[in-house]
């Protein structure tokens, strides 16, 4: 007798509406929060191909009632052949951002899916991979509409990606960047997803698919080979946590910037502000960001190479000392550059109170631009964040993981609410998380308002590194003037600027009521049942 799982209540927030609907469909068929998140991410990897996919990395936070949250590190390490000598022999003073030499770290996203499914296996009947991938396979084979965001990224980066093997054949239309609304298919990617559904996710690393991937990468000139894939395993870690007056916030440990995201909230908790979106709110969050980024830049890397554990900087003493260094009226000069990056954040809460917060990324938009011919997989370029200087905090070494901007967030509040929230956008991720958390949790703004309201970002620019403070045009002019008077180098951005990233949140109240928010700067929705 066949068992048909009961439909499960739940909510999904995703930056593409088809991804959110894929996750919701899995919930309605009895799937749990992890399965819904995998379905949503798999679909996003097809219909939002410039942001994430099988050839990228992923970080997860998973929470369930009565248990401590779990963090999954689904990031790949540098190839065994990826040495400074390897790049010097090819005339590189730094690791290129695009092309086969940028495709030098293993893609760990698929391994994170496997670890997440293993974590949720005790929750009861599991849906097959063929169901979780069904929508993604359909869109890859039969077509999806190019979003404005994909079209803009393709137009902006087209000249730099044009020489990457497979990019033009896969993502251009008649050799030029597609217009928004153009229909696109990726049949080879559909075949790959079908193979994974049939043979299991481990096939990506230690099966026939891994051999095809390694052979393609090696033939195109990447230092990665199939043996590098075979050595890869995702890692389950204890998430970083920080108790605040309102509850406990969680984020992912190094090599991510989750430490910085928590430090910002810990510092602001000590500084306080009277109201949302006033001078004290923005100035103190920006100054807290600077202190957190200074710690991140000095210390965060692959945890195997860190001399001090990240939790050191979340202790009361260090946070008190850093908070005391912040001038509540004047800005600290900020000559630092930014960490670039694009990604997707997806959040799911199911009717049983289980919550997932996940970031998946290709690093830059379209990653390395390299599309593997036998599989249709677009490979990421996280390796380009390594430095070829042996003394650098993020120096390239074989088997080392690069520093990551990905940092999905989760909060368990004293009043019984649980909130999964996050964003995309390199250095903007912890800043946007802080904006959403403080607006909603500390100042009581409705969740959607907290996401929609005008945002800011220190650093981050499409054209290269930047150190200014960008504010969306919807802020009160008097606030902008006050920030300038305090010494902030303010630049005005457009009213709903995609430079601020796409954010989202889902929340469950003790009563079981679900709330969610999706970012109007993106192409997503909140889908619920």
């Amino acid at each position: 007798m066949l068992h048909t799982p009961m439909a499960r209540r739940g909510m999904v927030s995703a930056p593409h509406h088809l991804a959110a609907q894929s996750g919701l469909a899995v919930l309605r068929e009895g799937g749990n929060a992890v399965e819904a998140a995998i379905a949503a991410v798999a679909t996003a990897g097809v219909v939002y191909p410039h942001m994430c996919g099988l050839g990228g990395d992923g970080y997860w936070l998973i929470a369930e009632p009565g248990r401590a949250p779990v963090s999954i590190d689904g990031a790949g390490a540098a190839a065994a052949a990826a040495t400074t000598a390897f790049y010097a022999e090819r005339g590189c003073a730094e690791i290129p951002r695009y092309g086969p030499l940028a495709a030098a770290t293993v893609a760990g996203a698929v391994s994170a899916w496997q670890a997440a499914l293993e974590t949720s296996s005790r929750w009861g009947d599991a849906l097959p991979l063929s169901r979780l991938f069904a929508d993604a396979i359909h869109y890859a084979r039969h077509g999806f509409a190019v979003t404005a965001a994909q079209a803009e990224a393709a137009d902006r980066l087209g000249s730099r990606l044009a020489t990457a093997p497979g990019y033009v054949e896969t993502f251009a239309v008649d050799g030029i960047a597609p217009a928004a609304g153009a229909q696109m298919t990726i049949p080879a990617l559909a075949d790959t997803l079908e193979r994974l559904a049939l043979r299991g996710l481990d096939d990506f690393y230690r099966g026939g698919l891994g051999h095809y991937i390694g052979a393609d990468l090696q033939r195109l000139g990447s230092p990665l080979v199939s043996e590098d894939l075979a050595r890869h395993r995702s890692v389950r870690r204890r998430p970083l946590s920080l108790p605040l007056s309102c509850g406990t916030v969680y984020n992912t440990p190094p090599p991510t910037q989750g430490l910085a995201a928590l430090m910002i909230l810990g510092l602001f908790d000590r500084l306080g502000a009277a109201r949302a979106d006033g001078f004290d709110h923005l100035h103190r969050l920006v100054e807290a960001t600077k202190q957190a980024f200074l710690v991140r830049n000095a210390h965060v890397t692959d945890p195997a190479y860190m001399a001090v554990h990240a939790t050191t900087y979340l202790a009361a003493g260090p946070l008190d000392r850093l908070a005391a260094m912040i001038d509540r009226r004047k800005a600290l000069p900020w000559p630092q550059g930014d960490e670039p990056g694009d990604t997707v954040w997806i959040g799911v809460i199911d009717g049983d109170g289980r919550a997932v917060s996940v970031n998946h990324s290709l690093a830059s938009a379209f990653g390395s631009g390299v599309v593997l011919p036998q599989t249709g997989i677009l490979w990421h370029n996280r390796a380009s964040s390594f430095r070829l200087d042996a003394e650098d905090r993020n120096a390239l070494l074989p088997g080392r993981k690069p520093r990551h901007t990905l940092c999905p967030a989760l909060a368990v509040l004293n009043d019984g609410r649980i909130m999964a929230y996050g964003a995309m956008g390199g250095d903007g991720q912890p800043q946007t998380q802080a904006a959403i958390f403080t607006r909603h949790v500390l100042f009581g703004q409705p969740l959607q308002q907290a996401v929609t309201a005008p945002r800011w970002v220190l650093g981050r620019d499409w054209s290269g590194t930047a150190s200014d403070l960008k504010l969306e045009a919807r802020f009160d002019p008097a606030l902008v003037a006050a920030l300038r008077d305090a010494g902030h180098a303010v630049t005005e951005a457009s009213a709903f600027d995609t430079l601020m990233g796409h954010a989202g949140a889902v929340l469950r109240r003790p009563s079981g009521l679900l709330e969610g928010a999706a970012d109007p700067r993106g192409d997503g929705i909140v889908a619920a049942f």
Side-chain angles (χ1 to χ4, degrees):
M1 184 182 205
L2 293 175
H3 171 66
T4 302
M6 295 290 290
R8 180 174 273 117
R9 293 177 60 244
M11 178 174 283
V12 184
S13 177
H16 194 289
H17 62 98
L18 294 178
Q21 290 169 18
S22 291
L24 180 63
V26 164
L27 290 173
R28 297 189 73 145
E29 293 178 30
N32 58 52
V34 163
E35 292 171 326
I38 289 173
V41 170
T43 292
V46 174
V47 301
Y48 233 37
H50 59 304
M51 290 292 185
C52 67
L54 297 179
D57 286 335
Y59 282 89
W60 290 61
L61 288 179
I62 303 172
E64 59 178 304
R67 288 179 178 263
V70 173
S71 171
I72 297 174
D73 176 341
T83 64
T84 54
F86 174 90
Y87 286 96
E89 290 167 1
R90 287 154 180 79
C92 299
E94 59 184 22
I95 298 175
R97 186 167 292 278
Y98 307 106
L101 296 180
T105 57
V106 173
V110 174
S111 71
W113 297 356
Q114 183 66 53
L117 288 172
E118 291 169 358
T119 299
S120 68
S121 61
R122 64 176 177 273
W123 298 347
D125 294 328
L127 293 176
L129 288 172
S130 58
R131 174 60 197 91
L132 303 187
F133 295 165
D135 288 0
I137 292 168
H138 173 83
Y139 297 128
R141 192 171 304 288
H142 299 290
F144 60 93
V146 172
T147 61
Q150 180 184 339
E152 185 279 329
D155 182 63
R156 172 167 46 88
L157 299 172
S159 60
R160 283 173 272 183
L161 293 167
T163 58
Y167 173 80
V168 170
E169 294 85 346
T170 306
F171 294 111
V173 176
D174 296 327
I176 61 173
Q183 186 167 337
M184 183 169 288
T185 62
I186 315 176
L189 186 58
D191 293 341
T192 295
L193 287 164
E194 287 179 339
R195 178 180 178 120
L196 287 171
L198 177 65
R199 303 196 181 193
L201 299 177
D202 198 59
D203 195 52
F204 190 97
Y205 300 98
R206 282 161 285 278
L209 184 60
H211 287 290
Y212 294 145
I213 292 170
D216 277 350
L217 286 164
Q218 187 174 20
R219 185 165 50 250
L220 294 173
S222 164
L224 279 169
V225 294
S226 58
E227 288 79 7
D228 295 308
L229 298 175
R231 280 189 290 269
H232 174 80
R233 299 288 191 285
S234 63
V235 182
R236 291 185 212 183
R237 304 185 191 276
R238 179 180 298 175
L240 296 178
S241 63
L242 179 68
L244 301 173
S245 54
C246 56
T248 302
V249 285
Y250 297 88
N251 217 297
T252 47
T256 80
Q257 62 175 338
L259 171 63
L262 295 185
M263 287 182 67
I264 293 169
L265 294 179
L267 293 170
F268 186 79
D269 202 42
R270 286 157 170 78
L271 298 170
R275 62 184 180 86
D277 300 329
F279 173 84
D280 288 349
H281 182 206
L282 267 70
H283 171 74
R284 293 175 187 182
L285 276 180
V286 171
E287 294 307 294
T289 296
K290 292 174 182 177
Q291 295 298 328
F293 281 1
L294 287 171
V295 171
R296 179 202 66 182
N297 295 349
H299 299 287
V300 172
T301 184
D302 184 328
Y305 295 84
M306 288 179 63
V308 180
H309 198 278
T311 54
T312 302
Y313 303 102
L314 296 175
L319 288 174
D320 289 343
R321 287 192 293 274
L322 289 175
M325 294 170 59
I326 293 174
D327 190 319
R328 299 182 185 218
R329 305 308 302 170
K330 291 294 182 182
L332 178 73
W334 191 247
Q336 308 292 321
D338 65 316
E339 289 276 348
D342 285 313
T343 180
V344 298
W345 176 85
I346 289 174
V348 183
I349 292 185
D350 66 29
D352 295 317
R354 297 178 291 236
V356 171
S357 183
V358 56
N359 275 133
H360 268 242
S361 176
L362 296 171
S364 301
F366 292 106
S368 68
V370 174
V371 181
L372 306 185
Q374 296 185 82
T375 61
I377 295 172
L378 174 64
W379 210 260
H380 66 152
N381 66 340
R382 186 66 61 178
S384 62
S385 68
F386 277 127
R387 298 294 177 262
L388 298 181
D389 178 0
E391 301 303 316
D392 191 271
R393 171 58 52 187
N394 201 32
L396 173 67
L397 285 172
R400 184 176 188 171
K401 291 187 176 184
R403 188 165 69 194
H404 271 261
T405 55
L406 308 183
C407 56
L410 192 76
V412 179
L413 303 175
N414 293 338
D415 60 10
R417 289 178 294 167
I418 183 169
M419 183 171 75
Y421 63 108
M424 55 81 82
D427 270 359
Q429 290 182 48
Q431 301 181 64
T432 297
Q433 288 179 16
I436 294 169
F437 184 90
T438 55
R439 282 169 167 164
H440 178 67
V441 177
L442 301 185
F443 297 121
Q445 284 188 0
L447 196 55
Q448 184 61 61
Q449 181 182 339
V451 171
T452 302
R455 289 210 296 265
W456 66 90
V457 63
L458 177 68
R460 185 162 165 78
D461 197 277
W462 295 132
S463 60
T465 59
S467 58
D468 57 341
L469 177 63
K470 295 179 178 65
L471 299 177
E472 286 187 321
R474 293 175 290 138
F475 278 107
D476 184 344
L479 169 63
V480 177
L483 290 168
R484 285 197 171 109
D485 290 344
H488 294 280
V490 174
T491 302
E492 189 172 79
S494 62
F496 287 91
D497 202 311
T498 58
L499 192 67
M500 303 297 156
H502 307 158
V506 289
L507 179 149
R508 185 180 189 270
R509 296 189 179 193
S511 65
L513 179 69
L514 302 177
E515 301 177 54
D519 201 322
R521 301 164 186 83
D523 300 283
I525 58 170
V526 175
F529 171 69

